[in-house]
Amino acid sequence: MKKLPTLLLLTACCVSASAAAAEGEKNATGRQGFVALRVFANTLDIEPHTWTHLVVLTGTDKELKLEIKASDSRHTSKIFAGYLPEGNYRLKSLIGMKSNPEIGPGFEFAVKQGALTNLGTVIYQPIGEGKATFVMYGKPVALARTVAKEFPALAKDLSDTTVLGWGQVAAHSVGASGQEISSPLGYGLTGSVLFHIADKMSETEKRVAWADAKDPALRVMLSKTSTYSLNAAQELPDGELLVGSNLGQLLSRSKSGEWTNIDLDDPREITALYARDRKHITVGGEEGMLKQSTDGGLTWMDLEFPVENGLIAHMTEINGELLVMSLAQGRLYVHGRMNTPGSRWSELANLAGMGTLPYASLPSRATIHKGKYLLVLPGKEMHVFDLAQRTWTVSPVPQEIKEVTSTGESLYAAGFFQKPYVSQDDGASWSKPGNACGGFFSTLVYDFAMRDKNEAWSLCHVSGAFVTGSRIRHSKDGGKTWADLVDQTPVKTMRMVVTKSALLYIDRDARISSSADGGLTWTRDKRVLPQALSAAADGGPAERQSK
């Protein structure tokens, strides 16, 4: 639950030191068009979340820059949008606090007066050895409505209804180092290529695996198998675990520790979910994503929702009522409806002062506890909705608390700077557990979870000249005393999930380790290739796995 700098959204103005860029500050009436590009950063690194400009080059190699500002509806994505003079362009780079990654060739486009150039979605993807690439997400994305809503002047300025996309050269795939790689038309995946890549991925040789990936569809699929977020984990009665992740991936973990991807074919991150059972699943995410499946994830339908283009931060169902929390325009909303077709939404809460708090995995903003729905306004108060009486009450919380989770018996929360808190009296009072990350080299509690009122685990980030991993600690007395379970993980660990049957963590390389005995012994979980990728193999076994 690492805190990241606030995510940003480009405004409709263009700025640059050049005279050409000054034209970009005008509207479409001055022989200009409007450009929109969505970028997803599929990485745990902080730097992509600090990007402030997208740099494009004109046909004469003059630079134009597009600026950005905050938006509540996004967790891992940014929409770069703005006016540009009519002409031909190519993407050059992104500008962040410490680095300016070059995008490379293959991203050419044209701007036409009064028209929208929709460049769709590009994924920023680490590929090993400190390198990254930009992957084109092939499915068309209808950005016009989103852009028009966030840039009201756009609708009246665009006189031409034509929607332009990438130039023909952009159909070529882009290589691991950013250079163009020739891809013969009709390039197919063979079983030998597919499983050769799977073996390399299992050995975490990302760089080599990506160098072999020339087919655009394969490159997108490799990105989908490298997601890192573990959001809204829910364990089903048979021990199967469902979690939301990046790039529209719903991850399913069997009790034996085998992970499979349920691909929603939508690049928006899944930040909330509720499964009534294995067949009936509802998921929510960034940019207003709200989808439901009644066949275990084989097909999905979009649900209409009163808050357009918000971030779905939490959802649950109780007594047949689906409760959904969303964040939009600096406000927090809670809506409810019976979880049956045709039911209408009713607004249960509309609160100010709740913006987006970006983390590698989205924290738990609300919980069900003893027949009540609890939500926290970070650093302010806890709002409690009595589901039987349909009434709200408000109680203060320590200023540091930013989330809340129920074990069924007690409540626990992580505060700013990850300081854990526990309440044994339903939130009336809160106490800090003992030294959850004891030891000279431990710097902070990176994650904290409880299974019941007594058992607790803390994930600690460790500092030191020769230390590259994290520490996992365990308490049997509600956090009063602690003992080390894992003195040092092989690499930094970014997220810990505790369920009734397992304890697991994911590291910076998106590898998941699990323990079925409370952390005494550990195994590396298997990540199975998505069905769409396995089906492309020529005669290879569909059950082939990559670690």
Side-chain angles (χ1 to χ4, degrees):
M1 297 190 296
K2 182 176 181 180
K3 187 173 181 182
L4 301 175
T6 302
L7 296 182
L8 302 172
L9 169 69
L10 283 176
T11 63
C13 69
C14 307
V15 294
S16 174
S18 68
E23 293 186 54
E25 297 176 359
K26 304 174 185 177
N27 59 27
T29 59
R31 297 199 61 79
Q32 299 189 54
F34 201 85
V35 181
L37 169 67
R38 181 168 63 175
V39 179
F40 284 88
N42 187 31
T43 175
L44 283 163
D45 293 336
I46 293 176
E47 181 64 16
H49 300 282
T50 71
W51 290 334
T52 58
H53 296 81
L54 171 67
V55 180
V56 302
L57 290 178
T58 67
T60 57
D61 286 340
K62 291 183 178 180
E63 289 190 1
L64 302 179
K65 296 179 183 179
L66 303 177
E67 286 188 331
I68 54 181
K69 68 177 183 180
S71 172
D72 286 336
S73 69
R74 297 178 179 85
H75 192 232
T76 60
S77 71
K78 303 178 184 219
I79 291 181
F80 293 74
Y83 292 102
L84 289 176
E86 188 173 75
N88 296 315
Y89 297 87
R90 67 179 176 88
L91 302 187
K92 180 180 184 292
S93 62
L94 290 158
I95 298 179
M97 292 180 63
K98 296 181 180 179
S99 64
N100 304 325
E102 294 287 329
I103 296 176
F107 292 88
E108 284 82 9
F109 61 95
V111 175
K112 181 180 177 182
Q113 179 183 357
L116 169 66
T117 299
N118 178 6
L119 300 180
T121 297
V122 170
I123 302 168
Y124 173 80
Q125 178 63 53
I127 56 175
E129 296 182 359
K131 299 182 181 297
T133 189
F134 290 86
V135 178
M136 287 184 183
Y137 187 83
K139 185 177 179 180
V141 179
L143 291 179
R145 182 178 178 184
T146 299
V147 171
K149 181 177 177 60
E150 301 196 20
F151 304 98
L154 175 62
K156 65 181 181 63
D157 282 342
L158 293 183
S159 58
D160 192 333
T161 57
T162 302
V163 177
L164 308 178
W166 293 109
Q168 288 298 317
V169 69
H172 300 168
S173 61
V174 178
S177 61
Q179 81 277 13
E180 181 180 342
I181 299 176
S182 298
S183 295
L185 197 60
Y187 180 92
L189 298 177
T190 65
S192 59
V193 171
L194 174 65
F195 297 124
H196 182 53
I197 291 177
D199 286 340
K200 290 177 180 177
M201 293 292 282
S202 69
E203 298 168 5
T204 67
E205 296 178 3
K206 287 184 179 179
R207 183 74 175 89
V208 180
W210 275 93
D212 288 347
K214 300 179 177 64
D215 183 81
L218 175 58
R219 290 167 57 78
V220 172
M221 198 61 72
L222 286 177
S223 292
K224 291 179 177 180
T225 60
S226 303
T227 61
Y228 62 86
S229 287
L230 299 179
N231 296 320
Q234 180 181 343
E235 187 175 31
L236 301 180
D238 64 355
E240 181 181 5
L241 182 67
L242 296 176
V243 298
S245 197
N246 316 90
L247 301 179
Q249 301 303 294
L250 177 62
L251 305 182
S252 168
R253 180 187 186 272
S254 68
K255 197 169 183 178
S256 62
E258 185 175 271
W259 291 83
T260 54
N261 289 50
I262 300 173
D263 185 6
L264 273 64
D265 197 24
D266 185 319
R268 293 174 291 181
E269 180 181 0
I270 299 173
T271 54
L273 73 89
Y274 181 81
R276 179 188 298 170
D277 50 47
R278 184 56 179 84
K279 292 290 186 181
H280 197 286
I281 308 168
T282 307
V283 301
E286 54 189 336
E287 297 181 24
M289 176 201 283
L290 189 61
K291 297 175 180 286
Q292 193 169 81
S293 175
T294 57
D295 55 13
L298 296 177
T299 60
W300 296 86
M301 63 178 180
D302 292 312
L303 298 182
E304 293 187 2
F305 192 63
V307 180
E308 187 177 6
N309 206 39
L311 174 68
I312 308 299
H314 180 269
M315 69 172 60
T316 190
E317 180 183 320
I318 187 165
N319 299 327
E321 183 179 15
L322 181 65
L323 301 173
V324 177
M325 175 196 291
S326 61
L327 309 177
Q329 315 256 326
R331 301 192 70 84
L332 179 151
Y333 301 89
V334 178
H335 287 83
R337 52 159 266 192
M338 297 306 294
N339 201 358
T340 54
S343 297
R344 292 179 174 272
W345 292 101
S346 61
E347 185 178 274
L348 303 177
N350 183 337
L351 305 172
M354 179 69 173
T356 307
L357 297 175
Y359 292 82
S361 293
L362 201 67
S364 175
R365 301 300 172 83
T367 192
I368 297 292
H369 180 71
K370 298 181 179 180
K372 297 180 179 180
Y373 178 85
L374 283 59
L375 67 87
V376 167
L377 289 180
K380 293 185 178 180
E381 57 207 16
M382 183 167 67
H383 292 245
V384 180
F385 184 59
D386 189 309
L387 293 163
Q389 301 297 323
R390 313 298 288 184
T391 57
W392 286 93
T393 57
V394 181
S395 61
V397 295
Q399 188 174 7
E400 294 172 335
I401 286 183
K402 58 178 174 56
E403 61 180 272
V404 62
T405 306
S406 173
T407 67
E409 302 173 293
S410 57
L411 297 171
Y412 67 90
F416 293 103
F417 305 108
Q418 308 308 114
K419 295 180 180 178
Y421 285 83
V422 176
S423 175
Q424 303 290 3
D425 53 12
D426 305 328
S429 63
W430 295 84
S431 62
K432 294 182 182 180
N435 195 0
C437 282
F440 177 76
F441 293 105
S442 296
T443 56
L444 80 159
V445 180
Y446 206 75
D447 208 347
F448 179 81
M450 298 183 73
R451 182 174 287 168
D452 52 43
K453 66 179 182 180
N454 294 317
E455 274 204 293
W457 287 264
S458 63
L459 172 63
C460 309
H461 265 202
V462 183
S463 63
F466 303 101
V467 180
T468 59
S470 304
R471 175 182 298 172
I472 298 178
R473 311 196 81 207
H474 182 223
S475 173
K476 297 181 180 180
D477 54 14
K480 295 177 182 177
T481 60
W482 294 86
D484 287 344
L485 280 181
V486 178
D487 185 59
Q488 184 175 322
T489 58
V491 297
K492 288 286 187 184
T493 298
M494 312 310 296
R495 173 70 163 158
M496 178 178 64
V497 174
V498 175
T499 70
K500 292 181 180 179
S501 59
L503 170 66
L504 55 93
Y505 67 82
I506 185 168
D507 64 26
R508 290 188 64 88
D509 291 331
R511 297 175 300 185
I512 301 173
S513 299
S514 65
S515 173
D517 56 14
L520 298 178
T521 59
W522 295 84
T523 58
R524 178 71 50 76
D525 281 4
K526 308 177 189 69
R527 299 191 75 169
V528 180
L529 292 169
Q531 290 182 354
L533 188 55
S534 299
D538 296 336
E543 68 274 16
R544 187 62 178 254
Q545 300 162 344
S546 64
K547 296 181 180 179

